[in-house]
Amino acid sequence: MKPPPHSIETEQWLLGAMLISRDTLIKCKGILHDFDFYREAHQLVFRTLTSLTGEADLLALSGELEKRGELDRVGGNKYLMELATAATTTVGADYHIQRLKDLSCRRQLIQTATNLSEKAHDLNNNVEDVASEATKAINDILE
């Protein structure tokens, strides 16, 4: 079985860009969700980084993760340092945001198709209901 579409490098780059640019952080916060990140550690970092109310730098991120007891779950300070150096510029942030959204949509479509396939195979389900659910689910993903 193929792994779901994802790009760890894109996720790392975006998280790194968010650490070096408040504008990129604000832009990502307005467009992305934690579930757009494939790796659970990256979901945690994104969720924590976007919840910071003051400075959103490496020190603040590390401190907040430590306070929440999640620093080790994301790979510790060593991994946070790797993220901080994953992006040396924020040029291209729009491209990386769109790439991450695209990969996330693909994963969601795959999951939705799997769920719909199970419902379509169940002869107790009304075919019009399954088709209606399929349309709604796909439109929700693409919005």
Side-chain angles (χ1 to χ4, degrees):
M1 181 177 241
K2 286 178 153 181
H6 65 282
S7 171
I8 300 304
E9 295 82 11
T10 298
E11 293 182 15
Q12 291 171 325
W13 189 94
L14 270 173
L15 293 170
M18 290 168 63
L19 282 167
I20 62 173
S21 166
R22 183 94 176 140
D23 290 341
T24 302
L25 172 63
I26 291 167
K27 183 182 285 190
C28 287
K29 187 175 180 177
I31 297 171
L32 299 174
H33 301 89
D34 59 349
F35 61 80
D36 289 322
F37 291 84
Y38 177 73
R39 186 176 274 179
E40 184 182 352
H42 294 166
Q43 293 174 7
L44 278 170
V45 170
F46 178 81
R47 209 168 26 248
T48 305
L49 196 52
T50 56
S51 74
L52 296 174
T53 54
E55 283 299 312
D57 58 17
L58 185 60
L59 190 58
L61 174 62
S62 175
E64 185 63 24
L65 285 166
E66 175 107 39
K67 185 171 93 176
R68 295 179 183 191
E70 296 178 332
L71 184 59
D72 289 337
R73 285 183 62 200
V74 301
N77 283 318
K78 182 179 179 190
Y79 188 67
L80 292 181
M81 285 295 294
E82 287 178 36
L83 290 178
T85 59
T88 56
T89 179
T90 60
V91 173
D94 290 338
Y95 167 80
H96 291 291
I97 291 168
Q98 189 55 50
R99 176 154 166 71
L100 193 68
K101 284 301 280 186
D102 178 75
L103 293 168
S104 176
C105 283
R106 290 173 186 274
R107 288 193 305 274
Q108 291 173 64
L109 286 169
I110 290 166
Q111 184 60 51
T112 298
T114 301
N115 294 342
L116 290 168
S117 176
E118 290 173 11
K119 290 182 179 190
H121 278 92
D122 183 346
L123 300 179
N124 292 318
N125 290 325
N126 179 290
V127 69
E128 287 85 12
D129 291 344
V130 174
S132 177
E133 184 178 340
T135 301
K136 183 184 179 325
I138 291 170
N139 286 334
D140 288 348
I141 291 168
L142 297 176
E143 289 178 351

